Each structure stands twice: as structure tokens, then as C-alpha cells.
Amino acid sequence: MGVLFGTDGIRGIANQDLTPELAMSVGRAAAAVLSADNRRHPKFVIGYDTRLSSGMLSSAAIAGLCSVGADVIDLGLVPTPAVAYLVGKYKADAGIMISASHNPFAYNGLKIFSGDGYKLPDALEEEIENIITGNSHRHPQMTAEQVGQVSKAECAVKDYVHHLKSTVPYSLDGMKIAVDCANGSASATAKRLFGELGAECHMLYSEPNGTNINEGCGSTHPEALCAYVKEHHLDAGCAFDGDADRCFCVDDKGNLIDGDNIMAICAPDMKMRGKLAKNTIVGTIMTNLGFVKFCEENGIAFAATKVGDRYVLEQMLLEDFNFGGEQSGHIIFRDFATTGDGQLTAIQLLSQIRRTGERLSDLSHCMKKFPQTMINVTVSAEGKLAFYTDQKIKQASEEAREKLGEDGRLVLRASGTEPLIRVMTEHKNAEIASSVAKELAEVVQTRLGSK
């Protein structure tokens, strides 16, 4: 990754790391790189989440796009996967989403999609970055009559919801569900989606005020949803993150169902119906070992990639697989979407339950997880760079792997979106997983921790 782009676009504290000036520069550079050669006025779509800074950054990006001759369709408040879908439906050359996903409201970001709805490959992001940093050709200077125009997409939410509904052959009539919108983008779409599918919806955290996105709610804080579903005797619950590209679910007994669990429930059903391409699921190095063993027991192949749904998708495209995702709740149903989509994931799972008549609690324990410990160590920008060459950390990690042995594993990596070093251990014995993770995290903290 370069200086600006991480594993999921550009991200930072709004108006500090991610300024309007930078957003404008990204708009200009993206238009230069992604514009169709034969189009005088290339077309972009742009959407945003509920953060206080989203309007500011969206306006800046739009100004940058228009200044180099691009026309812009303003989608308004929509989920990230809506941008990925609508860029194709509206025949645009590219799309931009203003969001920092699951991060606190002070952060924001820019995710860019190509005209086919996929996140940009590293090479194109590098080309955009080179223009911004002055290491490549400059963007064209337009005269007054050449600048782009802005139009509002009045039916963006309607068009996106209609698409999602078209992916499930069964309604959700009779189902009682709770929906946690994380005070984010799903607040604009979820009530309409689940209501039109026939479910009785209990809407939670769907009143954004600009600063409460992801605050004690959503897929990063699902505890309240678990308690609510159990207390009100509902059939299920769904929790999304700030831009609704992730989904965690809750069964009728209040048990949390993460991305690995969701895939374990859906994959055998897809296989049975002949819908699982090449009988393969794509996950990442963070996928629980229990899921890998589950795949082996059910005659399903498993392919692992680097962390990040973009890498999951790259592998799916390379090998023509159609199902994959991450433990974090990024699930990709490639038959219906070009990126992870939390609401699509939720209705696929709920539709399966509605079709089969099974209770979610009967399915949620289909795989046996290995105990897993995750510790995030906050580091400085310099510490994050030093992580890759620190010899004492390398030595400590090798010692940790020896302690875990064949019954466990270690994943030690720098976050692609936050100033963190992530320490993850897994072992049949929870105490061993926890103690090894703590020991290694202490070494990382000592060597690289922010002061």
C-alpha cells in the first residue's frame, strides 16, 4: 500500500488527516485515471454515510471531479454496496463512497469503485496517488464551459432496495427481527428493505445525528442487539457497521453469529442447491480454524487470502468462485454483488431460514470454533513502519508460534486502516491462546507502542 491508500481506500481523522483539500485532489486524480477515453464528460456517482464530516468531504470530492470535467450523480446517504451497485445501473465510469466504515465518527474515508462496481486494484490506486503527490502527470485544466455538472439521484435508495429484494425468492412474512443500523448508512435503507420483504422489524440505532455512528452499537458492539432479541423473543437480529458493508447476526436465543458462522450456515445450503461455485469458499488468514475444519468435514474446499475483502474478491474473480468473506462480517455473494454487502447477507440468511423452516439457533452451532484471542496494540506512524523490520518482535513471534504448536496458530499484522498492530492467536486451549497473545502483545507494546 502507498502513503494514502490502505486496505480499504483512504482513511483518517476528518479535517486533520483527511482534509477537504485532499478530498478535492482525490476527485481530480480519480477522474483523470478512471475516465472513459471516449467520453467528453465522464460520469461519477458519489454517496456518503452519516458522519458529520461526510457532507464536507463529499462536496469537496464533487468539486474536484467537476473541476476536471466530470459529471457527478449525487446518491446522497446510502450504504457502500449501494454505490458499487448503482455505478453500473447508472452507467457511470466510477463511484466514490465517503465513509470510514466501522471506525468512530471522527474518522472518515474515501472508497473508490471502478465502472464495473469493483474496488480498485492496487495499481490504479497507486496511479491516483502518484497524481495527488505530484509524481505523475497533472490533471487537465478546464475552461468555464467544460466543467462538470451535478445532479441528484432521487431514486437511489429505491433502486438499491429493489435490487436487494430481487435476490431472494422467498419473503420474510411472519418473521420478527431486530435491525441494528449502527446509526449509519443502513438507517436510510434497512426499514424499507426488511419491511417490504414482509418482516416485522424492530429498528435499533437508526437515528443518526452525525456523531453517534458506531457508538456502542452496530456490528462492532452487538451486545445490546443480542440482549434485545432474547428479551423480546424474536426470530433473529441483524447488526451492520457504519456503511453497511458488514453484517453480524443474532439467533433466536441471543447468540452472536459472526462472518465465519454465517458462511458456515449458508455454504452447505448453497452446495446442496448447486449454487456454490466449484464447492469452494474464500476466506482469509483470520478465518477461524474451526471453520476450516468445518469445510473439510462437509466436502467444501477453502482458499485463504490476505486480510481484507478486496483480496477475498480478487481470489474469487481469479478462480471464478462466487462465495467468500471475512470473520468481521464482510460477506460476498458474487452472484448478486461486487463487494461485501451487510443487508444482502442478512436477507440471504433469513430467506434460507424462511425457506427451510429451521430456527437460526439450530444452525448457529454448526461449526466448532477454536478459542481465539485478539489484542490490538496502538502504535505511532513510525512504529507501524518499524514493525516490519523489528528483530525482537520477529524473534518473539517465532517463540509464540512454537508455543502454539500444531494445535494453534498466530497472525501478527499491521492494520490496513488504523494505527494498530493486531495480535491474534488461536488454540484448542483458550488459556494457551490468551497467554501467548498477551506475552507477544507486551513485546509489541514495549517496542512500538505510542507514547
Side-chain angles (χ1 to χ4, degrees), residues 151 244 356:
S151 60
T356 62

Side-chain angles (χ1 to χ4, degrees), residues 271-284:
K271 179 185 176 185
M272 179 187 69
R273 295 184 292 117
K275 299 295 185 180
L276 184 62
K278 300 183 179 180
N279 283 337
T280 299
I281 302 174
V282 183
T284 76

Side-chain angles (χ1 to χ4, degrees), residues 26-233:
V26 171
R28 287 171 172 164
V33 171
L34 301 174
S35 299
D37 293 335
N38 60 352
R39 190 190 294 270
R40 180 174 177 269
H41 282 282
K43 185 193 299 183
F44 277 66
V45 296
I46 190 164
Y48 48 84
D49 71 14
T50 60
R51 293 163 211 271
L52 199 61
S53 59
S54 289
M56 172 185 74
L57 295 172
S58 174
S59 297
I62 289 173
L65 289 165
C66 291
S67 72
V68 293
D71 291 332
V72 179
I73 300 176
D74 186 351
L75 304 177
L77 174 60
V78 292
T80 288
V83 174
Y85 169 69
L86 294 173
V87 71
K89 180 173 179 62
Y90 294 165
K91 296 180 173 56
D93 296 295
I96 297 176
M97 177 67 183
I98 310 295
S99 174
S101 191
H102 62 284
N103 291 149
F105 94 94
Y107 287 81
N108 217 324
L110 290 92
K111 304 180 184 183
I112 306 177
F113 294 89
S114 58
D116 54 11
Y118 293 108
K119 291 181 180 179
L120 299 186
D122 292 346
L124 282 181
E125 288 186 342
E126 183 177 353
E127 193 173 343
I128 291 171
E129 186 164 315
N130 284 338
I131 294 176
I132 296 170
T133 56
N135 296 324
S136 183
H137 64 277
R138 305 303 296 174
H139 49 76
Q141 191 69 35
M142 295 295 175
T143 60
E145 66 272 12
Q146 293 176 318
V147 298
Q149 300 182 53
V150 184
S151 60
K152 291 281 187 179
E154 302 296 339
C155 295
V157 168
K158 178 182 177 182
D159 289 340
Y160 172 62
V161 169
H162 177 76
H163 163 66
L164 292 182
K165 288 168 55 183
S166 72
T167 69
V168 290
Y170 290 85
S171 75
L172 305 181
D173 287 343
M175 295 194 74
K176 299 178 180 180
I177 63 172
V179 181
D180 180 347
C181 296
N183 291 316
S185 290
S187 302
T189 54
K191 185 175 182 179
R192 180 172 188 161
L193 170 64
F194 291 100
E196 290 185 2
L197 283 173
E200 177 186 313
C201 297
H202 296 234
M203 302 301 298
L204 306 178
Y205 303 103
S206 59
E207 298 181 0
N209 63 13
T211 63
N212 61 359
I213 187 171
N214 298 316
E215 185 178 21
C217 57
S219 60
T220 51
H221 300 283
E223 301 83 12
L225 178 64
C226 292
Y228 188 94
V229 170
K230 186 176 182 180
E231 179 184 351
H232 291 82
H233 307 287

Side-chain angles (χ1 to χ4, degrees), residues 1 76 121 231 245 266 270 291 295 318 360 371 377 388 406 421 443:
M1 291 298 166
E231 179 184 351
D245 64 353
C266 293
M270 293 175 66
F291 180 79
C295 289
L318 182 65
L360 192 50
V377 181
Y388 297 98
E406 294 182 358
I421 302 299
V443 175

